[in-house]
Amino acid sequence: MKKRRLCPDDSLLDQYRCLRQIPQLSHADCRKVLELLNDDKEYKGSFTASKVHQKFPVTLPAMRELVVRDGKERCVFHAFSLPECLQNKVNACPAFAECFDIALAAAHNSLELVMFWDEAVPGNVLAPDLRRKAALCYCSIQELPVRFADTCWLTLAVCRSQELQKVSQGYPKSMTALLTQLKEDCKDGFMIETKSGPQLVFIRSIAVFMDADGIRLTLGNKGSSGLKPCWLCQNVVGLQHFDLAETVHISNPDFTLYKAHTLESLRGIQRYLQSILSRSAKEKAETLLGWNTEAMAETFLLQPAL
């Protein structure tokens, strides 16, 4: 992308945007430079681009506000529109634009989206401030030739963990809301302007990856705290249960013995757990089956629309 030169005859906002091309300069640094450059003028630029839409003229229009609720409690988190985010990335990064053209040609414009969910604490790793802990979701395209490169990944959504914890089942609800928004944005395809011309792009499938904590938080699986720690399998058990009939211990390397869950088997577990009225009996059943009743009702796995 061609860089602009700083011109004293330009408006203060244009001068500010020109200075922002220098990665080492923060917003405050740019305003200080403007004050020095325009010291003899009526408006020196000390408050230039102080509004959000001026600070982020490219990314802000692509941002969406998603809300998850639990009675009176609500959590607002922000996510990017995938079509607009991809278009901005193609416009701003020549390397990504070239990789994206290769991916479109390889997949005939029908792409697979790869999403990864994780939690992170920004700042000093030696003295982490857990109040700043955030849940992040970032994505790439499966068909990109260099998917390992940082430039091939896009931040899709972010939310403070404290905010998600204010709402009952905030984690599964937020993931369901994000995937629902993605489906709405991409269900009929979307147009991307590339160097080779306008392209109608489709997302044929979405692969979601996360670590063990992510699976437990967003899917409702109890993980190692339940008798059945694997959310994919019906007959796999953990802990010290090596001799239960018709089960396979998780340490068994013969994967042909593992019986995979189906949507119908998961819905059967959900119906059974919801039918139990006694709290103690329900907690025992959740431990034995490896699923949390309330989280299962909100997880994207069992949403008919997804």
Side-chain angles (χ1 to χ4, degrees), residues 12 18-19 29 32 62 78 82 95 104 150 156 163 168 170 175 179 185 212 249 256 263 275 288:
L12 290 172
C18 186
L19 289 169
D29 293 333
K32 289 178 182 178
H78 295 88
L82 181 66
L104 289 177
D150 289 347
L156 199 58
E163 295 298 314
S168 176
M175 197 64 179
L179 289 171
D185 287 343
H249 195 266
T256 60
L263 282 177
S275 69
L288 292 175

Side-chain angles (χ1 to χ4, degrees), residues 259-270:
K259 184 178 179 182
H261 268 302
T262 63
L263 282 177
E264 191 53 43
S265 67
L266 289 175
R267 290 192 180 105
I269 292 174
Q270 182 186 21

Side-chain angles (χ1 to χ4, degrees), residues 6 36 56 75 97 119 122 158-159 180 195 198 203 241 246 258 260 263 267 295 304:
L6 183 62
L36 294 173
F56 310 104
C75 169
E119 286 187 301
V158 62
C159 183
T180 302
K195 289 189 295 184
I203 300 297
H241 302 282
E246 298 182 4
Y258 292 19
L263 282 177
R267 290 192 180 105

Side-chain angles (χ1 to χ4, degrees), residues 14-128:
D14 286 338
Q15 291 181 47
Y16 170 85
R17 288 175 178 169
C18 186
L19 289 169
R20 282 294 293 159
Q21 295 176 122
I22 305 173
Q24 291 79 7
L25 293 182
S26 65
H27 296 288
D29 293 333
C30 292
R31 295 189 190 101
K32 289 178 182 178
V33 174
L34 285 181
E35 286 186 68
L36 294 173
L37 291 175
N38 299 278
D39 188 52
D40 57 340
K41 298 180 181 178
E42 181 181 359
Y43 298 104
K44 296 179 174 57
S46 55
F47 296 101
T48 301
S50 56
K51 297 179 179 179
V52 177
H53 72 274
Q54 294 173 330
K55 284 183 181 180
F56 310 104
V58 176
T59 55
L60 191 64
M63 190 173 289
R64 303 289 182 266
E65 194 175 84
L66 304 180
V67 181
V68 293
R69 303 176 186 276
D70 175 36
K72 294 181 180 179
E73 294 293 334
R74 65 195 295 268
C75 169
V76 178
F77 69 101
H78 295 88
F80 286 111
S81 163
L82 181 66
E84 293 183 46
C85 201
L86 284 173
Q87 184 64 72
N88 291 336
K89 186 73 171 180
V90 167
N91 295 342
C93 181
F96 182 83
E98 184 174 347
C99 290
F100 193 68
D101 271 336
I102 294 172
L104 289 177
H108 306 290
N109 290 27
S110 181
L111 305 175
E112 180 180 8
L113 187 70
V114 179
M115 290 174 54
F116 192 87
W117 185 97
D118 200 3
E119 286 187 301
V121 182
N124 187 353
V125 294
L126 299 178

Side-chain angles (χ1 to χ4, degrees), residues 95-96 98-104 106 140-149 152:
F96 182 83
E98 184 174 347
C99 290
F100 193 68
D101 271 336
I102 294 172
L104 289 177
S140 184
I141 302 296
Q142 171 67 23
E143 290 79 9
L144 292 176
V146 286
R147 200 171 58 257
F148 54 84
C152 289

